[in-house]
Amino acid sequence: MSPAPTARLMDGAGLARRIVERTAERAAALTRRTGTQPCLATVLVGDDPASVTYVRMKRARCEKAGIRSRHIALPAATTTAELVAAVDALSQDPQVHGILLQHPVGPHIDERAAFEAIAPEKDVDGVTTASFAAMSFGLPGFVSCTPGGIMRLLDHYDVDLAGRHAVVVGRSAILGRPVGMLLLGRDATVTYCHSRTRDVTAVVRQADVVVAAVGRPRFIRGEDVKPGAVVVDAGYNPGNIGDVDFEAARTRASLITPVPGGVGPMTIAVLLDQTVEAAARGIHPPGV
């Protein structure tokens, strides 16, 4: 018996490296031409180990890409008003071009209020309602970084989305919901699955494109993947395990992202790219 065919891997790590290289070139050219170095401000509340690691990694990537990094570390006891004031100050600072508020911020803080304090032109992480509206209506703005990375991966691998049934498993404000809007903007027929969806398995089995963003290890089983489907695993769970049963799903999918090395690197690449774009727009606003 011949072995089952395996899906082609979508190499997010490789594509992300190329994006970051181009971003570094743009940052250097912008700095030479204008004397202004793009700057990303990171805001971290508390000392959650995972968040500390993520922010440190993002700051290191900034340095390699020629982007200046400014870090604001706030104590875990920071109030909503104090966090909003800190973010608002960065929004008004002309030396700052992009703002990243590390999620989560703590249950006692109104995270949405803090996100909304980010000026839309500096929302390089795509977390404000203004950015979500722009994504939904196809208007200029900054996309949520993970959804934006997913779309770039799909484009890189020439996935034609028009008329295809895309199923998004998850509806978070910074991943599930915006990626659905971006897919809809490419003329895909989009279905959201969430905790109240009846018979998620039946819906997933109809999908031409599956985006798993539910935060549950191996939630999407291999046998539930439609033969030839494109599978994007945006989940990350302890032990480098995604939301998709990778080994089983790759025998049925045509394209699939690995975990790690798929969606994750693309998120940071888009963040850096949008920071440089924000700096360029700040120096030379569109239409000016």
Side-chain angles (χ1 to χ4, degrees):
M1 180 181 295
S2 60
T6 57
R8 184 182 178 196
L9 294 184
M10 302 172 75
D11 181 12
L15 178 57
R17 280 194 298 271
R18 290 190 285 276
I19 292 173
V20 173
E21 288 170 0
R22 291 195 297 268
T23 297
E25 292 171 357
R26 290 180 61 210
L30 185 67
T31 303
R32 285 195 306 269
R33 187 172 68 252
T34 67
T36 298
Q37 184 179 16
C39 175
L40 174 68
T42 56
V43 181
L44 176 64
V45 179
D47 56 0
D48 174 74
S51 293
V52 170
T53 298
Y54 291 151
V55 170
R56 185 186 300 120
M57 179 174 60
K58 290 168 184 175
R59 296 185 70 201
R61 297 290 176 84
C62 280
E63 183 178 347
K64 290 183 179 180
I67 298 171
R68 186 163 57 91
S69 175
R70 182 188 299 183
H71 184 54
I72 308 298
L74 299 173
T78 297
T79 65
T80 296
E82 290 168 338
L83 178 56
V84 166
V87 173
D88 184 63
L90 293 172
S91 288
Q92 297 184 49
D93 187 339
Q95 300 302 312
V96 172
H97 304 107
I99 300 171
L100 169 70
L101 173 58
Q102 182 63 39
H103 167 88
V105 294
H108 66 290
I109 292 177
D110 183 344
E111 186 175 74
R112 177 47 50 192
F115 281 149
E116 294 308 315
I118 301 173
E121 66 272 16
K122 298 185 181 185
D123 181 22
V124 294
D125 203 23
V127 295
T128 63
T129 54
S131 292
F132 184 82
M135 281 183 276
S136 300
F137 288 101
L139 301 174
F142 294 115
V143 299
S144 298
C145 289
T146 300
I150 289 170
M151 299 306 292
R152 293 194 192 198
L153 263 177
L154 294 173
D155 286 344
H156 182 73
Y157 285 91
D158 297 320
V159 177
D160 183 6
L161 295 166
R164 303 187 79 178
H165 185 192
V167 172
V168 180
V169 186
R171 55 175 173 177
S172 70
I174 60 176
L175 209 175
R177 296 189 191 201
V179 78
M181 291 296 100
L182 293 174
L183 291 164
L184 183 64
R186 297 292 190 85
D187 296 321
T189 299
V190 180
T191 299
Y192 287 97
C193 290
H194 46 80
S195 59
R196 299 296 181 89
T197 300
R198 297 178 180 177
D199 201 352
V200 173
T201 296
V203 180
V204 170
R205 286 177 173 173
Q206 302 172 26
D208 301 309
V209 179
V210 179
V211 178
V214 70
R216 294 176 61 181
R218 299 191 180 99
F219 181 76
I220 305 297
R221 302 177 304 177
E223 61 263 35
D224 297 331
V225 172
K226 179 180 177 181
V230 175
V231 178
V232 178
D233 191 345
Y236 185 80
N237 305 284
N240 288 337
I241 298 172
D243 288 353
V244 176
D245 185 345
F246 177 79
E247 293 300 334
R250 71 184 303 193
T251 65
R252 295 172 66 87
S254 59
L255 286 165
I256 190 170
T257 58
V259 175
V263 172
M266 294 296 298
T267 299
I268 295 179
V270 171
L271 174 69
L272 300 181
D273 182 62
Q274 294 194 149
T275 298
V276 174
E277 179 61 26
R281 292 181 187 179
I283 297 168
H284 300 294
V288 176

